[in-house]
Amino acid sequence: MGHAAMAATVVRYLRSSGAPATAAPATRASGQGPAQGPGDAAGPTPVGAHGHHRPRLRAVREDERAPLDPAVFRRVLGNFATGVTVVTAPGGPGRSPAGFACQSFSSLSLDPPLVCFMVGRASTTWPRIARAGVFCVNVLSADQAELCRAFAVSGADKFAGVDHDAAPVTGSPRLAGAIAWIDCAVHAVHTGGDHLIVVGRVEALDAPREGAPPLLFHRGSFGVDG
């Protein structure tokens, strides 16, 4: 189902349950209680086609969004330990290869085989990967923290002294010592706030150091506190 069809289905569901497809501004008369939004009026809970009661749904208004401290957001989410990868791409004629350290990586689909990673919109490396149209995800091992730091800086020659060869399908740099590598072609790119969500179709993969301990990142540092 395409994005437009999915959106139309959601709108139909909202309307059938008595909820608006878009949020209306809140209104409140002086001396009265909290403003009622659309869908808040008293009435029976809508019943679906199969007799099941469905919750009343409505869009969230901007004035209902709780303020969020970015520092708190980072601190809380930092409790989720992640693996660490380096995403690389070939440079092409006359251009050096590209790469950056990435924690925001995940498998996405088995059929078709898809993975995804997230990259900041302000990244200077992403345009080079996008230009190549392909990339390789290198899953780092616990003894590759220094390699990760080298790929986390901006503006330096990240591949200086780094042993690597070409991934079999795309030619993207495959870093020596990585636990696993996933060779991909860019399949789709979606927006996600201040980041981009890059979906890759897997063309080849292997785990030459399968079973080796992975490099983990937790609460702002490598490793997990015991």
Side-chain angles (χ1 to χ4, degrees):
M1 180 182 294
H3 294 300
M6 291 175 64
T9 299
V10 171
V11 170
R12 285 196 301 270
Y13 177 84
L14 289 172
R15 287 174 175 168
S16 69
S17 64
T22 58
T27 58
R28 183 175 183 272
S30 175
Q32 293 181 347
Q36 280 191 333
D40 290 341
T45 302
V47 179
H50 298 287
H52 300 297
H53 288 278
R54 298 183 301 194
R56 292 187 176 277
L57 301 178
R58 63 178 174 82
V60 178
R61 298 187 300 265
E62 285 298 328
D63 62 344
E64 295 178 316
R65 299 183 189 279
L68 193 64
D69 185 340
V72 174
F73 184 89
R74 293 190 185 96
R75 176 177 59 80
V76 173
L77 270 294
N79 287 279
F80 179 63
T82 69
V84 184
T85 72
V86 169
V87 178
T88 62
R95 296 193 301 268
S96 60
F100 74 103
C102 178
Q103 301 160 240
S104 301
F105 166 77
S106 178
S107 60
L108 179 61
S109 168
L110 183 62
D111 184 17
L114 302 175
V115 297
C116 65
F117 68 86
M118 278 60 79
V119 59
R121 288 183 178 227
S123 168
T124 57
T125 302
W126 163 244
R128 300 168 63 191
I129 298 176
R131 184 184 304 116
V134 295
F135 62 90
C136 182
V137 178
N138 297 268
V139 181
L140 301 187
S141 63
D143 57 3
Q144 291 183 304
E146 287 305 315
L147 178 64
C148 176
R149 292 188 180 96
F151 276 90
V153 300
S154 179
D157 181 3
K158 301 177 184 180
F159 287 87
V162 175
D163 188 14
H164 64 278
D165 62 4
V169 178
T170 71
S172 301
R174 186 172 54 176
L175 305 182
I179 292 177
W181 53 267
I182 305 102
D183 197 14
C184 305
V186 174
H187 179 76
V189 180
H190 306 284
T191 57
D194 56 9
H195 276 60
L196 296 174
I197 305 165
V198 182
V199 179
R201 184 180 182 102
V202 179
E203 305 291 346
L205 74 169
D206 197 8
R209 294 185 61 193
E210 188 169 4
L215 181 62
L216 298 178
F217 194 78
H218 179 241
R219 299 180 64 185
S221 61
F222 294 118
V224 178
D225 297 333

